[in-house]
Amino acid sequence: MKTQKIGAWIAVLFGASYFIIPLIATFEFSLRMRRGEYSFDAYRSVFSDVQFRESFSYSIVMAILTIVFGILLVVPTAYWVRLRLPQMRPFVEFITLMPLVIPAIVIVFGYLRLYNSSSFIPFTGSARGTDLLLMFSFMTLSLPYMYRSVDTAMRTIDVATLTEAAQSLGASWPTIMFKCIFPNVMSGVLSGAFITFAIVIGEFTMPSLLNRPAFGPYLQLIGANRAYEPPALAIIAFAITWASMALLQLVSRFSKSAPSKP
Amino acid sequence: MSFLELAGIQKSFGPVQVVHDFDMTIEKGEFVSFLGPSGCGKTTVLRMIAGFETPSGGTIKINGKNQESLKPNQRNIGMVFQAYALFPNMTVHDNVAFGLKIAGMNKAAVDARVKEMLGLIHLGHLADRFPYQMSGGQQQRVALARALAPKPQVLLLDEPLSALDAKIRVSLREEIRMIQQQLGITTVFVTHDQEEALSISDRIVVMNSGRADQIGTPFDIYNKPATRFVASFVGTLNLIEATVVDPASNRISIGDQAITLREPLGPVKAGDTVSLALRPEAGSIAESAKGDTALTGQVVSSNFLGSVIRTRMKVGDPVISFDMFNAPGLSPPAVGDVVTLRFTASDLLIIRE
């Protein structure tokens, strides 16, 4: 029994080291900008770069919008499929899997062909339109993960009976959706949101080919021309992503355990 | 005018008709149970009353108002489900308050009503708990309080006790009945458990293959079953095939033993077969076959069931079961013994369908 436990710990440490050692190495390298001593010069250089602030803010805003609209699309869809259209589930699952098998570059060329400035829906005719198109493309890319996370969370609750219980108490569809179903699939929504956030922050192909100032293309540009800033950027991106995840966890845990006030 | 009227209700799922011409009226404050085996259509009828299923035909009226055009959330019907269906993200207080908030009550009124409802189910001290922190019985009581809080015109209970253990079932069904009587709310209770239905209902509807086989008081359903199905489904019953000897004098024979029935045999002739029902508890062992209503047979098994001893005896071809109350010093008949079972003529019921 004890040997098994030690074996399990060794396996965990080995797995963790696969992830942690490169991270430590990246961090260590990011501190070596000043010759002969460790310093945060690379970070200073990154933070003082206006392009970094702009591209990172842009990606954060895009990530938030993608998460919000992704939730508004996926949660009602998964709910309705479970409640009224269970026979459509394999079809919907197939559709949500498409972004995994169609490369992003193919999708974006499809978009450019369909939504160019001379098409019926000229998304790319303006900066805001292209931003909207980019957000939709991010939603498409994150669809397999968001849908699965939400659908798995819905499997843990009896959607049909909860809906009927709420209806018998006089609830309308929006009330059922936002007060009875949504809070109970929050764990799945958050998981989907984390993955969506990570995808949006790191995505290069879509914003690059749509020519939008996102963090992915900026990272590529810096990586191609500088030595110490790219690892510093990678560490910053990791730190911000982790902080966001921790914050979301904290918020969800707090809201779930909040007692009522009779 | 009855409070709840179901007239000619039909329901089909594709080519399969699951409810056929269901007619019933329920008075205000009455407790009616739909009793039947799985798939007999009892839950479908309940769901049609709630508005979760649309009838293929017929009308449903509550307090004289046709319910067809009303959505489930407009019917003011309280419902308790087998799976509790408490909202997992809400505390007990918030669950009970849910319907009240939707009805637009102010906070003080909501809190007062929640307090009253939780007091009714004796769970006032658990108002801040979440459903996962409670037992099944407690959750179902909260579900009952939640359904009753908005003062619904009809309460529907869809096998609310099925998921609970035996002891809790008994105590909760008594509590449900007590609360129902206290509030005087019209209640429809769906169950496949005959004991539940018999113990708490004003009337029972025994359903079979989408039809109401019999509607009556628990006493009538048990003692005067209208059909073979009701006789066999409710309680333990001996169904005996007998041969008509003399229709004029209601004389029949079981095995080769003749008996005179009290009930008229109807339009049958000598030599016809009739079905008779006899409850196991109706008869008792006698020293000898005095009078006409006794059967003598050989014991084929004798099982001790705690409060009773159930003995099966062979009377020609038919095998008849009868119960003896357990008592200290009782010597139950042994396999192979020849015994005489005596009963009154009115205990033998003619099953006509």
Side-chain angles (χ1 to χ4, degrees):
Chain A
M1 189 73 181
K2 205 173 174 185
T3 325
Q4 266 186 341
K5 230 176 186 176
I6 292 167
W9 272 111
I10 290 171
V12 168
L13 286 174
F14 182 74
S17 66
Y18 189 79
F19 173 70
I20 290 168
I21 291 171
L23 205 60
I24 294 170
T26 305
F27 180 61
E28 197 266 348
F29 186 73
S30 72
L31 300 176
R32 289 166 67 173
M33 195 174 183
R34 200 178 295 172
R35 286 192 184 280
E37 60 177 307
Y38 285 135
S39 72
F40 286 99
D41 286 358
Y43 294 88
R44 227 167 275 135
S45 163
V46 165
F47 284 125
S48 60
D49 186 354
V50 178
Q51 247 192 315
F52 162 77
R53 288 201 297 268
E54 283 175 357
S55 65
F56 202 76
S57 310
Y58 179 85
S59 284
I60 294 268
V61 171
M62 288 305 282
I64 291 167
L65 288 174
T66 306
I67 289 168
V68 170
F69 283 92
I71 288 168
L72 287 177
L73 172 73
V74 168
V75 176
T77 306
Y79 169 66
W80 203 248
V81 167
R82 281 211 161 260
L83 189 70
R84 292 277 190 268
L85 303 166
Q87 72 279 7
M88 291 288 284
R89 236 177 120 219
F91 177 71
V92 174
E93 283 199 347
F94 174 75
I95 295 288
T96 60
L97 275 177
M98 295 295 271
L100 283 184
V101 290
I102 301 174
I105 195 157
V106 175
I107 297 173
V108 80
F109 273 117
Y111 283 162
L112 287 171
R113 213 176 153 69
L114 271 174
Y115 304 119
N116 61 56
S117 53
S118 54
S119 76
F120 286 118
I121 314 167
F123 275 126
T124 56
S126 66
R128 283 290 155 265
T130 315
D131 288 342
L132 202 63
L133 184 61
L134 183 61
M135 190 197 71
F136 289 145
S137 71
F138 286 146
M139 275 170 67
T140 307
L141 287 182
S142 60
L143 198 58
Y145 312 102
M146 184 62 106
Y147 185 83
R148 252 145 214 81
S149 306
V150 172
D151 193 49
T152 306
M154 269 191 196
R155 206 174 296 167
T156 63
I157 58 168
D158 188 346
V159 169
T161 315
L162 285 183
T163 301
E164 287 176 356
Q167 280 181 310
S168 71
L169 292 163
S172 59
W173 285 114
T175 308
I176 295 169
M177 194 68 229
F178 290 104
K179 288 196 171 167
C180 306
I181 302 299
F182 195 81
N184 290 306
V185 294
M186 196 48 118
S187 61
V189 170
L190 287 178
S191 308
F194 297 150
I195 301 171
T196 303
F197 191 86
I199 287 172
V200 175
I201 293 293
E203 176 59 22
F204 168 76
T205 315
M206 298 277 188
S208 173
L209 290 174
L210 289 173
N211 195 27
R212 298 311 298 146
F215 189 61
Y218 172 76
L219 203 64
Q220 190 275 336
L221 185 75
I222 296 293
N225 299 302
R226 310 262 182 91
Y228 298 102
E229 282 85 345
L233 272 173
I235 296 295
I236 292 165
F238 265 117
I240 291 173
T241 307
W242 287 343
S244 307
M245 284 164 70
L247 200 69
L248 284 170
Q249 280 280 14
L250 208 69
V251 167
S252 69
R253 199 169 293 180
F254 177 74
S255 63
K256 198 162 191 180
S257 61
S260 68
K261 293 170 191 71
Chain B
M1 187 179 66
S2 299
F3 190 69
L4 173 59
E5 294 173 64
L6 307 172
I9 297 294
Q10 296 180 12
K11 179 68 188 174
S12 299
F13 291 110
V16 185
Q17 189 164 0
V18 293
V19 178
H20 306 259
D21 296 320
F22 188 90
D23 293 300
M24 159 137 225
T25 54
I26 300 174
E27 299 307 319
K28 193 165 173 59
E30 201 177 6
F31 193 115
V32 173
S33 293
F34 290 174
L35 175 67
S38 298
C40 71
K42 55 189 188 299
T43 297
T44 307
V45 175
L46 192 87
R47 290 173 61 79
M48 285 192 279
I49 299 171
F52 299 137
E53 301 288 353
T54 310
S56 310
T59 54
I60 299 171
K61 284 183 184 174
I62 299 176
N63 205 10
K65 192 175 177 189
N66 205 322
Q67 300 292 302
E68 264 165 60
S69 57
L70 298 178
K71 290 174 183 164
N73 60 348
Q74 297 169 325
R75 294 195 179 195
N76 190 21
I77 284 176
M79 187 147 175
V80 177
F81 300 83
Q82 183 181 342
Y84 321 137
L86 294 180
F87 305 122
N89 56 311
M90 296 181 202
T91 60
V92 166
H93 175 278
D94 293 345
N95 263 285
V96 178
F98 186 82
L100 303 171
K101 285 179 185 168
I102 285 169
M105 283 172 78
N106 64 49
K107 194 180 178 304
V110 167
D111 288 346
R113 181 70 177 157
V114 170
K115 200 174 173 189
E116 183 191 345
M117 285 294 108
L118 293 182
L120 195 69
I121 56 163
H122 312 295
L123 288 179
H125 58 293
L126 301 182
D128 282 337
R129 291 226 181 140
F130 283 92
Y132 71 90
Q133 295 170 316
M134 305 172 81
S135 70
Q138 288 173 331
Q139 287 188 53
Q140 199 60 296
R141 278 151 72 191
V142 174
L144 180 66
R146 182 182 66 177
L148 290 169
K151 297 185 180 168
Q153 44 184 353
V154 177
L155 176 66
L156 305 176
L157 306 167
D158 186 9
E159 306 206 30
L161 308 173
S162 301
L164 305 172
D165 63 59
K167 213 171 172 180
I168 304 285
R169 285 168 82 138
V170 174
S171 65
L172 192 53
R173 81 183 182 211
E174 283 162 6
E175 203 170 330
I176 287 172
R177 178 57 161 159
M178 215 170 65
I179 291 170
Q180 185 269 333
Q181 284 177 326
Q182 198 175 326
L183 301 177
I185 186 167
T186 310
T187 303
V188 181
F189 178 75
V190 161
T191 182
H192 59 262
D193 186 323
Q194 44 168 304
E195 192 187 311
E196 262 170 34
L198 290 169
S199 63
I200 59 173
S201 315
D202 291 319
R203 278 192 301 155
I204 295 174
V205 182
V206 183
M207 290 192 65
N208 178 28
S209 305
R211 288 188 170 84
D213 257 26
Q214 188 175 359
I215 301 173
T217 63
F219 188 84
D220 283 344
I221 295 284
Y222 190 83
N223 292 309
K224 297 171 194 164
T227 65
R228 179 184 287 265
F229 173 79
V230 176
S232 60
F233 189 74
V234 181
T236 310
L237 195 92
N238 291 293
L239 271 172
I240 308 160
E241 298 296 316
T243 309
V244 176
V245 177
D246 177 15
S249 62
N250 302 326
R251 200 143 176 87
I252 51 105
S253 76
I254 298 170
D256 54 356
Q257 300 174 49
I259 285 178
T260 301
L261 300 177
R262 188 165 294 172
E263 205 179 335
L265 274 168
V268 289
K269 54 185 187 299
D272 281 358
T273 302
V274 290
S275 296
L276 302 172
L278 179 69
R279 294 276 178 207
E281 66 271 21
S284 60
I285 294 226
E287 292 287 315
S288 61
K290 279 182 197 164
D292 230 6
T293 47
L295 290 167
T296 302
Q298 191 171 36
V299 173
V300 290
S301 70
S302 185
N303 299 314
F304 179 67
L305 302 177
S307 60
V308 295
I309 293 154
R310 180 156 295 164
T311 304
R312 295 169 74 236
M313 70 172 191
K314 205 165 164 50
V315 183
D317 276 339
V319 175
I320 297 172
S321 296
F322 62 93
D323 291 344
M324 285 184 293
F325 280 111
N326 182 26
L330 179 81
S331 54
V335 174
D337 285 358
V338 174
V339 294
T340 297
L341 180 70
R342 209 160 71 189
F343 42 89
T344 58
S346 57
D347 290 329
L348 267 177
L349 301 169
I350 301 167
I351 303 295
R352 298 187 192 276
E353 287 178 48

